[in-house]
Amino acid sequence: MKEERKQQYTIGELSKLTGISVTALRYYDRENVLRPEIRNEENGYRYYSTRQVEKSQIIQDLKAFALSLDEIREIMQHKSRRYSVSYTHLTLPTKA
């Protein structure tokens, strides 16, 4: 029997899957970095898709390169327009 992949994740489930805090996910929503695909207007719940799980990993990778939230937002907006985004040329910041 083939295992079905879950299609929607609550903010808490996404947080557990990705390691991004619920507070950060709410902030990313407000700052238009990672908006939930569905928001229940009755109760305000946010629901994220499997594609957004992948996007959240990209955000974490970009944060590891010490990019600002504005830079991450710009990259994510271009990526969502189906542009090819490559950040392999970036280097991790060194610790002082």
Side-chain angles (χ1 to χ4, degrees), residues 21-75:
S21 72
V22 169
T23 302
L25 289 169
R26 287 185 179 125
Y27 180 69
Y28 293 162
D29 181 10
R30 281 193 310 273
E31 294 297 316
N32 200 28
V33 174
L34 183 66
R35 307 286 313 258
E37 277 195 12
I38 299 169
R39 184 185 305 265
N40 183 315
E41 296 301 325
E42 292 177 20
N43 59 22
Y45 282 19
R46 297 165 172 90
Y47 295 98
Y48 296 85
S49 68
T50 53
R51 184 176 40 167
Q52 290 175 305
V53 173
E54 295 164 2
K55 285 184 177 185
S56 65
Q57 183 59 55
I58 293 169
I59 291 169
Q60 287 180 299
D61 292 345
L62 294 170
K63 281 183 64 175
F65 289 110
L67 295 178
S68 72
L69 194 59
D70 287 336
E71 291 168 317
I72 293 171
R73 181 184 310 105
E74 184 176 334
I75 290 169

Side-chain angles (χ1 to χ4, degrees), residues 58 74-89:
I58 293 169
E74 184 176 334
I75 290 169
M76 296 307 292
Q77 287 172 346
H78 285 293
K79 183 161 180 55
S80 69
R81 292 184 191 130
R82 301 201 186 278
Y83 286 103
S84 174
V85 175
S86 173
Y87 48 91
T88 56
H89 65 283

